[in-house]
PDB file of all heavy atoms in Angstrom:
ATOM      1  N   GLY I 124      10.099  -7.255   6.196  1.00  0.00           N
ATOM      2  CA  GLY I 124      10.050  -8.613   5.743  1.00  0.00           C
ATOM      3  C   GLY I 124      11.243  -8.916   4.888  1.00  0.00           C
ATOM      4  O   GLY I 124      11.838  -7.997   4.308  1.00  0.00           O
ATOM      5  N   GLU I 125      11.612 -10.183   4.822  1.00  0.00           N
ATOM      6  CA  GLU I 125      12.734 -10.568   3.970  1.00  0.00           C
ATOM      7  C   GLU I 125      12.360 -10.334   2.487  1.00  0.00           C
ATOM      8  O   GLU I 125      11.248 -10.113   2.161  1.00  0.00           O
ATOM      9  CB  GLU I 125      13.013 -12.060   4.281  1.00  0.00           C
ATOM     10  CG  GLU I 125      13.798 -12.403   5.448  1.00  0.00           C
ATOM     11  CD  GLU I 125      15.193 -11.864   5.445  1.00  0.00           C
ATOM     12  OE1 GLU I 125      15.699 -11.463   4.346  1.00  0.00           O
ATOM     13  OE2 GLU I 125      15.852 -11.780   6.501  1.00  0.00           O
ATOM     14  N   VAL I 126      13.458 -10.379   1.765  1.00  0.00           N
ATOM     15  CA  VAL I 126      13.341 -10.201   0.318  1.00  0.00           C
ATOM     16  C   VAL I 126      12.282 -11.231  -0.241  1.00  0.00           C
ATOM     17  O   VAL I 126      12.410 -12.456   0.092  1.00  0.00           O
ATOM     18  CB  VAL I 126      14.664 -10.382  -0.346  1.00  0.00           C
ATOM     19  CG1 VAL I 126      14.455 -10.385  -1.914  1.00  0.00           C
ATOM     20  CG2 VAL I 126      15.674  -9.335  -0.002  1.00  0.00           C
ATOM     21  N   GLY I 127      11.330 -10.785  -0.997  1.00  0.00           N
ATOM     22  CA  GLY I 127      10.387 -11.663  -1.685  1.00  0.00           C
ATOM     23  C   GLY I 127       9.159 -12.065  -0.882  1.00  0.00           C
ATOM     24  O   GLY I 127       8.403 -12.932  -1.292  1.00  0.00           O
ATOM     25  N   THR I 128       8.973 -11.449   0.307  1.00  0.00           N
ATOM     26  CA  THR I 128       7.812 -11.810   1.113  1.00  0.00           C
ATOM     27  C   THR I 128       6.526 -11.082   0.801  1.00  0.00           C
ATOM     28  O   THR I 128       5.520 -11.304   1.389  1.00  0.00           O
ATOM     29  CB  THR I 128       8.191 -11.694   2.611  1.00  0.00           C
ATOM     30  OG1 THR I 128       8.714 -10.346   2.851  1.00  0.00           O
ATOM     31  CG2 THR I 128       9.150 -12.715   3.073  1.00  0.00           C
ATOM     32  N   GLY I 129       6.589 -10.102  -0.167  1.00  0.00           N
ATOM     33  CA  GLY I 129       5.367  -9.486  -0.615  1.00  0.00           C
ATOM     34  C   GLY I 129       5.156  -8.049  -0.085  1.00  0.00           C
ATOM     35  O   GLY I 129       4.053  -7.579  -0.033  1.00  0.00           O
ATOM     36  N   LYS I 130       6.263  -7.388   0.287  1.00  0.00           N
ATOM     37  CA  LYS I 130       6.060  -6.024   0.885  1.00  0.00           C
ATOM     38  C   LYS I 130       5.508  -5.010  -0.246  1.00  0.00           C
ATOM     39  O   LYS I 130       4.654  -4.245   0.056  1.00  0.00           O
ATOM     40  CB  LYS I 130       7.461  -5.534   1.329  1.00  0.00           C
ATOM     41  CG  LYS I 130       7.973  -6.400   2.504  1.00  0.00           C
ATOM     42  CD  LYS I 130       9.343  -5.783   2.971  1.00  0.00           C
ATOM     43  CE  LYS I 130      10.398  -5.880   1.924  1.00  0.00           C
ATOM     44  NZ  LYS I 130      10.740  -7.216   1.517  1.00  0.00           N
ATOM     45  N   THR I 131       6.074  -5.117  -1.407  1.00  0.00           N
ATOM     46  CA  THR I 131       5.578  -4.148  -2.446  1.00  0.00           C
ATOM     47  C   THR I 131       4.127  -4.449  -2.848  1.00  0.00           C
ATOM     48  O   THR I 131       3.344  -3.541  -3.113  1.00  0.00           O
ATOM     49  CB  THR I 131       6.443  -4.235  -3.687  1.00  0.00           C
ATOM     50  OG1 THR I 131       7.822  -3.869  -3.320  1.00  0.00           O
ATOM     51  CG2 THR I 131       5.990  -3.326  -4.784  1.00  0.00           C
ATOM     52  N   LEU I 132       3.730  -5.722  -2.833  1.00  0.00           N
ATOM     53  CA  LEU I 132       2.358  -6.039  -3.136  1.00  0.00           C
ATOM     54  C   LEU I 132       1.430  -5.500  -2.019  1.00  0.00           C
ATOM     55  O   LEU I 132       0.353  -4.877  -2.298  1.00  0.00           O
ATOM     56  CB  LEU I 132       2.158  -7.581  -3.183  1.00  0.00           C
ATOM     57  CG  LEU I 132       0.748  -8.088  -3.401  1.00  0.00           C
ATOM     58  CD1 LEU I 132       0.237  -7.702  -4.692  1.00  0.00           C
ATOM     59  CD2 LEU I 132       0.676  -9.633  -3.183  1.00  0.00           C
ATOM     60  N   LEU I 133       1.839  -5.562  -0.675  1.00  0.00           N
ATOM     61  CA  LEU I 133       1.073  -4.988   0.310  1.00  0.00           C
ATOM     62  C   LEU I 133       1.025  -3.530   0.249  1.00  0.00           C
ATOM     63  O   LEU I 133      -0.005  -2.892   0.536  1.00  0.00           O
ATOM     64  CB  LEU I 133       1.687  -5.389   1.701  1.00  0.00           C
ATOM     65  CG  LEU I 133       1.248  -6.747   2.204  1.00  0.00           C
ATOM     66  CD1 LEU I 133       1.999  -6.951   3.581  1.00  0.00           C
ATOM     67  CD2 LEU I 133      -0.249  -6.806   2.501  1.00  0.00           C
ATOM     68  N   CYS I 134       2.161  -2.954  -0.167  1.00  0.00           N
ATOM     69  CA  CYS I 134       2.166  -1.466  -0.317  1.00  0.00           C
ATOM     70  C   CYS I 134       1.204  -1.000  -1.374  1.00  0.00           C
ATOM     71  O   CYS I 134       0.424  -0.001  -1.086  1.00  0.00           O
ATOM     72  CB  CYS I 134       3.649  -1.151  -0.776  1.00  0.00           C
ATOM     73  SG  CYS I 134       3.987   0.629  -0.879  1.00  0.00           S
ATOM     74  N   ARG I 135       1.096  -1.688  -2.468  1.00  0.00           N
ATOM     75  CA  ARG I 135       0.228  -1.274  -3.552  1.00  0.00           C
ATOM     76  C   ARG I 135      -1.276  -1.598  -3.111  1.00  0.00           C
ATOM     77  O   ARG I 135      -2.166  -0.841  -3.451  1.00  0.00           O
ATOM     78  CB  ARG I 135       0.458  -1.985  -4.810  1.00  0.00           C
ATOM     79  CG  ARG I 135       1.908  -1.600  -5.317  1.00  0.00           C
ATOM     80  CD  ARG I 135       2.092  -2.127  -6.773  1.00  0.00           C
ATOM     81  NE  ARG I 135       3.396  -1.693  -7.299  1.00  0.00           N
ATOM     82  CZ  ARG I 135       3.900  -2.004  -8.507  1.00  0.00           C
ATOM     83  NH1 ARG I 135       3.168  -2.800  -9.316  1.00  0.00           N
ATOM     84  NH2 ARG I 135       5.015  -1.534  -8.871  1.00  0.00           N
ATOM     85  N   LYS I 136      -1.428  -2.671  -2.449  1.00  0.00           N
ATOM     86  CA  LYS I 136      -2.841  -2.919  -1.907  1.00  0.00           C
ATOM     87  C   LYS I 136      -3.266  -1.852  -0.962  1.00  0.00           C
ATOM     88  O   LYS I 136      -4.436  -1.435  -0.966  1.00  0.00           O
ATOM     89  CB  LYS I 136      -2.904  -4.286  -1.271  1.00  0.00           C
ATOM     90  CG  LYS I 136      -4.300  -4.687  -0.831  1.00  0.00           C
ATOM     91  CD  LYS I 136      -4.351  -6.136  -0.442  1.00  0.00           C
ATOM     92  CE  LYS I 136      -5.765  -6.534   0.004  1.00  0.00           C
ATOM     93  NZ  LYS I 136      -6.746  -6.290  -1.038  1.00  0.00           N
ATOM     94  N   LEU I 137      -2.402  -1.421  -0.067  1.00  0.00           N
ATOM     95  CA  LEU I 137      -2.714  -0.334   0.850  1.00  0.00           C
ATOM     96  C   LEU I 137      -3.088   0.929   0.111  1.00  0.00           C
ATOM     97  O   LEU I 137      -4.050   1.578   0.435  1.00  0.00           O
ATOM     98  CB  LEU I 137      -1.557  -0.048   1.834  1.00  0.00           C
ATOM     99  CG  LEU I 137      -1.773   1.043   2.828  1.00  0.00           C
ATOM    100  CD1 LEU I 137      -2.879   0.818   3.786  1.00  0.00           C
ATOM    101  CD2 LEU I 137      -0.447   1.269   3.566  1.00  0.00           C
ATOM    102  N   LEU I 138      -2.345   1.194  -0.913  1.00  0.00           N
ATOM    103  CA  LEU I 138      -2.558   2.515  -1.677  1.00  0.00           C
ATOM    104  C   LEU I 138      -3.943   2.363  -2.378  1.00  0.00           C
ATOM    105  O   LEU I 138      -4.655   3.348  -2.497  1.00  0.00           O
ATOM    106  CB  LEU I 138      -1.518   2.668  -2.738  1.00  0.00           C
ATOM    107  CG  LEU I 138      -0.185   3.240  -2.362  1.00  0.00           C
ATOM    108  CD1 LEU I 138       0.901   3.018  -3.324  1.00  0.00           C
ATOM    109  CD2 LEU I 138      -0.349   4.703  -2.031  1.00  0.00           C
ATOM    110  N   ASN I 139      -4.329   1.189  -2.869  1.00  0.00           N
ATOM    111  CA  ASN I 139      -5.560   1.003  -3.621  1.00  0.00           C
ATOM    112  C   ASN I 139      -6.746   1.008  -2.659  1.00  0.00           C
ATOM    113  O   ASN I 139      -7.887   1.371  -3.099  1.00  0.00           O
ATOM    114  CB  ASN I 139      -5.555  -0.380  -4.301  1.00  0.00           C
ATOM    115  CG  ASN I 139      -4.607  -0.401  -5.492  1.00  0.00           C
ATOM    116  OD1 ASN I 139      -4.169   0.619  -5.942  1.00  0.00           O
ATOM    117  ND2 ASN I 139      -4.236  -1.587  -5.925  1.00  0.00           N
ATOM    118  N   GLU I 140      -6.551   0.719  -1.389  1.00  0.00           N
ATOM    119  CA  GLU I 140      -7.699   0.526  -0.420  1.00  0.00           C
ATOM    120  C   GLU I 140      -7.722   1.651   0.639  1.00  0.00           C
ATOM    121  O   GLU I 140      -8.528   1.519   1.611  1.00  0.00           O
ATOM    122  CB  GLU I 140      -7.613  -0.814   0.191  1.00  0.00           C
ATOM    123  CG  GLU I 140      -7.772  -1.941  -0.824  1.00  0.00           C
ATOM    124  CD  GLU I 140      -7.797  -3.367  -0.217  1.00  0.00           C
ATOM    125  OE1 GLU I 140      -7.714  -3.385   1.028  1.00  0.00           O
ATOM    126  OE2 GLU I 140      -7.966  -4.325  -0.934  1.00  0.00           O
ATOM    127  N   LEU I 141      -6.955   2.677   0.487  1.00  0.00           N
ATOM    128  CA  LEU I 141      -7.039   3.771   1.523  1.00  0.00           C
ATOM    129  C   LEU I 141      -8.357   4.393   1.469  1.00  0.00           C
ATOM    130  O   LEU I 141      -8.958   4.605   0.389  1.00  0.00           O
ATOM    131  CB  LEU I 141      -5.961   4.815   1.133  1.00  0.00           C
ATOM    132  CG  LEU I 141      -4.560   4.584   1.579  1.00  0.00           C
ATOM    133  CD1 LEU I 141      -3.607   5.660   1.091  1.00  0.00           C
ATOM    134  CD2 LEU I 141      -4.394   4.483   3.077  1.00  0.00           C
ATOM    135  N   PRO I 142      -8.926   4.706   2.621  1.00  0.00           N
ATOM    136  CA  PRO I 142     -10.236   5.382   2.615  1.00  0.00           C
ATOM    137  C   PRO I 142     -10.166   6.696   1.910  1.00  0.00           C
ATOM    138  O   PRO I 142      -9.141   7.324   1.678  1.00  0.00           O
ATOM    139  CB  PRO I 142     -10.462   5.630   4.169  1.00  0.00           C
ATOM    140  CG  PRO I 142      -9.697   4.567   4.843  1.00  0.00           C
ATOM    141  CD  PRO I 142      -8.415   4.333   3.991  1.00  0.00           C
ATOM    142  N   ASP I 143     -11.356   7.185   1.468  1.00  0.00           N
ATOM    143  CA  ASP I 143     -11.412   8.408   0.606  1.00  0.00           C
ATOM    144  C   ASP I 143     -10.802   9.607   1.258  1.00  0.00           C
ATOM    145  O   ASP I 143     -10.369  10.518   0.521  1.00  0.00           O
ATOM    146  CB  ASP I 143     -12.875   8.648   0.200  1.00  0.00           C
ATOM    147  CG  ASP I 143     -13.382   7.524  -0.694  1.00  0.00           C
ATOM    148  OD1 ASP I 143     -12.573   6.894  -1.426  1.00  0.00           O
ATOM    149  OD2 ASP I 143     -14.657   7.419  -0.848  1.00  0.00           O
ATOM    150  N   HIS I 144     -10.811   9.719   2.568  1.00  0.00           N
ATOM    151  CA  HIS I 144     -10.379  10.951   3.202  1.00  0.00           C
ATOM    152  C   HIS I 144      -8.859  10.979   3.338  1.00  0.00           C
ATOM    153  O   HIS I 144      -8.326  12.017   3.830  1.00  0.00           O
ATOM    154  CB  HIS I 144     -10.959  11.045   4.586  1.00  0.00           C
ATOM    155  CG  HIS I 144     -10.469  10.139   5.632  1.00  0.00           C
ATOM    156  ND1 HIS I 144     -10.949   8.809   5.712  1.00  0.00           N
ATOM    157  CD2 HIS I 144      -9.535  10.326   6.638  1.00  0.00           C
ATOM    158  CE1 HIS I 144     -10.314   8.235   6.744  1.00  0.00           C
ATOM    159  NE2 HIS I 144      -9.495   9.076   7.228  1.00  0.00           N
ATOM    160  N   PHE I 145      -8.136   9.985   2.843  1.00  0.00           N
ATOM    161  CA  PHE I 145      -6.685  10.036   2.818  1.00  0.00           C
ATOM    162  C   PHE I 145      -6.161  10.477   1.478  1.00  0.00           C
ATOM    163  O   PHE I 145      -6.677  10.125   0.463  1.00  0.00           O
ATOM    164  CB  PHE I 145      -6.159   8.606   3.093  1.00  0.00           C
ATOM    165  CG  PHE I 145      -6.016   8.271   4.544  1.00  0.00           C
ATOM    166  CD1 PHE I 145      -6.934   7.468   5.143  1.00  0.00           C
ATOM    167  CD2 PHE I 145      -4.944   8.820   5.297  1.00  0.00           C
ATOM    168  CE1 PHE I 145      -6.853   7.129   6.458  1.00  0.00           C
ATOM    169  CE2 PHE I 145      -4.878   8.491   6.680  1.00  0.00           C
ATOM    170  CZ  PHE I 145      -5.787   7.604   7.226  1.00  0.00           C
ATOM    171  N   VAL I 146      -5.163  11.369   1.584  1.00  0.00           N
ATOM    172  CA  VAL I 146      -4.351  11.796   0.436  1.00  0.00           C
ATOM    173  C   VAL I 146      -3.014  11.103   0.523  1.00  0.00           C
ATOM    174  O   VAL I 146      -2.369  11.170   1.509  1.00  0.00           O
ATOM    175  CB  VAL I 146      -4.091  13.299   0.414  1.00  0.00           C
ATOM    176  CG1 VAL I 146      -3.263  13.702  -0.753  1.00  0.00           C
ATOM    177  CG2 VAL I 146      -5.468  14.020   0.324  1.00  0.00           C
ATOM    178  N   SER I 147      -2.635  10.381  -0.467  1.00  0.00           N
ATOM    179  CA  SER I 147      -1.493   9.523  -0.443  1.00  0.00           C
ATOM    180  C   SER I 147      -0.275  10.186  -1.241  1.00  0.00           C
ATOM    181  O   SER I 147      -0.544  10.738  -2.281  1.00  0.00           O
ATOM    182  CB  SER I 147      -1.721   8.111  -0.916  1.00  0.00           C
ATOM    183  OG  SER I 147      -2.035   8.142  -2.289  1.00  0.00           O
ATOM    184  N   ALA I 148       0.903   9.969  -0.673  1.00  0.00           N
ATOM    185  CA  ALA I 148       2.164  10.348  -1.382  1.00  0.00           C
ATOM    186  C   ALA I 148       2.969   9.095  -1.376  1.00  0.00           C
ATOM    187  O   ALA I 148       3.215   8.431  -0.291  1.00  0.00           O
ATOM    188  CB  ALA I 148       2.877  11.487  -0.687  1.00  0.00           C
ATOM    189  N   TYR I 149       3.397   8.570  -2.585  1.00  0.00           N
ATOM    190  CA  TYR I 149       4.129   7.302  -2.669  1.00  0.00           C
ATOM    191  C   TYR I 149       5.534   7.468  -3.189  1.00  0.00           C
ATOM    192  O   TYR I 149       5.681   8.096  -4.254  1.00  0.00           O
ATOM    193  CB  TYR I 149       3.231   6.413  -3.598  1.00  0.00           C
ATOM    194  CG  TYR I 149       3.879   5.066  -3.836  1.00  0.00           C
ATOM    195  CD1 TYR I 149       4.372   4.242  -2.859  1.00  0.00           C
ATOM    196  CD2 TYR I 149       3.979   4.613  -5.208  1.00  0.00           C
ATOM    197  CE1 TYR I 149       4.877   3.026  -3.190  1.00  0.00           C
ATOM    198  CE2 TYR I 149       4.528   3.377  -5.518  1.00  0.00           C
ATOM    199  CZ  TYR I 149       4.983   2.517  -4.460  1.00  0.00           C
ATOM    200  OH  TYR I 149       5.569   1.360  -4.707  1.00  0.00           O
TER     201      TYR I 149
END
């Protein structure tokens, strides 16, 4: 997405809402 379209917000939302069986590396 272009600059300022909310990619980092989506990134953090994904991290917050990953199912329990996922181990995340950010």
Side-chain angles (χ1 to χ4, degrees):
E125 281 292 347
V126 174
T128 50
K130 297 182 296 297
T131 300
L132 178 65
L133 275 180
C134 186
R135 294 188 179 181
K136 184 170 178 59
L137 177 64
L138 282 166
N139 291 343
E140 298 184 358
L141 280 173
D143 292 338
H144 71 278
F145 274 102
V146 174
S147 64
Y149 175 50

